[in-house]
Every structure is written in structure tokens, then in C-alpha cells.
Amino acid sequence: MSHARKEYKDFMALTPDAYAAVLELSQIAGKAGMDKQLLELIKLRASQINGCAFCVQYHILEGEKLSVPTDKLNLVVVWREAPQFSQRERAALAWTEALTLLSEGVSDEVYAQASAEFSEKELAYLTSAVASINVWNRFGAAFRWTPPARKPVVGAAAS
């Protein structure tokens, strides 16, 4: 496997202003009241599409902290075939994929599905979340940031 070209902490140190701007954008939707579990699912899905190992692992760990069901974290990659996802989650995931694979455009069907599940304001915030994770993915994939390690569970037996 290839090694990191730069690490996440290097990005923070080299460009604190860029880091702060992307971090702020990535927090806006949650601060506006969007469901944080849903946001982790869409961030995980975009990161899978973009091939950012750091962000995939990061958002799995964040999803676990927020008690996103393990089945959803495991099956988000095949969300269309998995019954665990609500209509709202499906609309958000379709929206995420359309915006992440933007060269294919956003179909009227995906827009209608998202608009049926989210208010105009929510859809704008959802779009900001998708935009922010795509920015993080560009940095993480370009510099091959090392995925964050899972912290050992206290009292767990070693494997």
C-alpha cells in the first residue's frame, strides 16, 4: 500500500486558514440542526465514492460515537439494496451521490426525491455538508492521509 504524502496534522499546520475554513463549512449543517447521524452517513458515502481512506475511517468512527447502527455503517455502500435506510436517508444518499458524481448532473428525479424529504433550507444545508466532505476528500485522497486508528476499548481483551 502506498504511504502518506502528507498527514492530516501536516495540513492543519501548513494551511491553518484553509483548515479552519473547511472545518467551519463542515460544521454548518450540524449547527443548523441537521440530524448528525444522517450527516455521518452522507459523509461516509461520499468518502467511499471518492476513495478517501482517511475520511471513510473517520466517519465510521464518528458514526459509531453517534450510535449510528452498525448495519447502516456497513451497508451504506449498497444502500439501494439494504432495507435499513429510511426514505429520508435514501433521498439524502441519492443527493450525496449526485453531487459527488457531479459530472453526471443532478436528475429531476433525485431533486424531486430530495425536495420531498427536505425543506428548501434543509436541502441547502445538506448540500453544504456534501460540498464540505467532497473538499475534505480531495485533500485526504491527494495526500493519502493515514486513516485514524480505532482507539482500544478499555478493558477489552487483546486479540
Side-chain angles (χ1 to χ4, degrees):
M1 186 67 211
S2 57
H3 63 282
R5 294 175 175 139
K6 291 279 182 227
E7 291 292 356
Y8 175 73
K9 63 181 174 37
D10 297 329
F11 171 66
M12 292 175 7
L14 288 169
T15 58
D17 51 349
Y19 171 79
V22 179
L23 182 63
E24 185 173 339
L25 178 61
S26 68
Q27 295 174 344
I28 288 173
K31 288 179 180 177
M34 295 292 294
D35 181 294
K36 290 186 172 134
Q37 287 188 349
L38 176 69
L39 293 174
E40 289 308 319
L41 290 173
I42 63 112
K43 291 173 182 179
L44 176 55
R45 184 64 191 121
S47 299
Q48 290 169 337
I49 292 167
N50 289 322
C52 181
F54 177 92
C55 294
V56 166
Q57 178 72 348
Y58 181 88
H59 292 291
I60 287 171
L61 296 174
E62 288 299 303
E64 289 172 352
K65 286 181 199 172
L66 291 170
S67 300
V68 175
T70 301
D71 284 349
K72 285 185 179 183
L73 294 172
N74 290 337
L75 294 171
V76 71
V77 70
V78 291
W79 63 269
R80 285 180 180 83
E81 290 77 30
Q84 286 81 357
F85 299 93
S86 69
Q87 283 305 113
R88 186 170 171 89
E89 290 166 334
R90 290 176 184 284
L93 290 164
W95 187 252
T96 298
E97 289 183 359
L99 294 176
T100 299
L101 302 167
L102 197 52
S103 63
E104 297 176 20
V106 178
S107 71
D108 291 340
E109 178 184 350
V110 169
Y111 181 79
Q113 182 184 11
S115 295
E117 294 294 330
F118 296 93
S119 70
E120 287 182 13
K121 187 174 185 176
E122 288 174 323
L123 193 55
Y125 279 120
L126 184 63
T127 302
S128 75
V130 174
S132 72
I133 191 56
N134 276 283
V135 171
W136 283 120
N137 291 162
R138 272 42 179 189
F139 286 112
F143 296 111
R144 295 184 189 144
W145 293 342
T146 302
R150 181 178 297 281
K151 292 185 174 47
V153 177
V154 177
S159 305

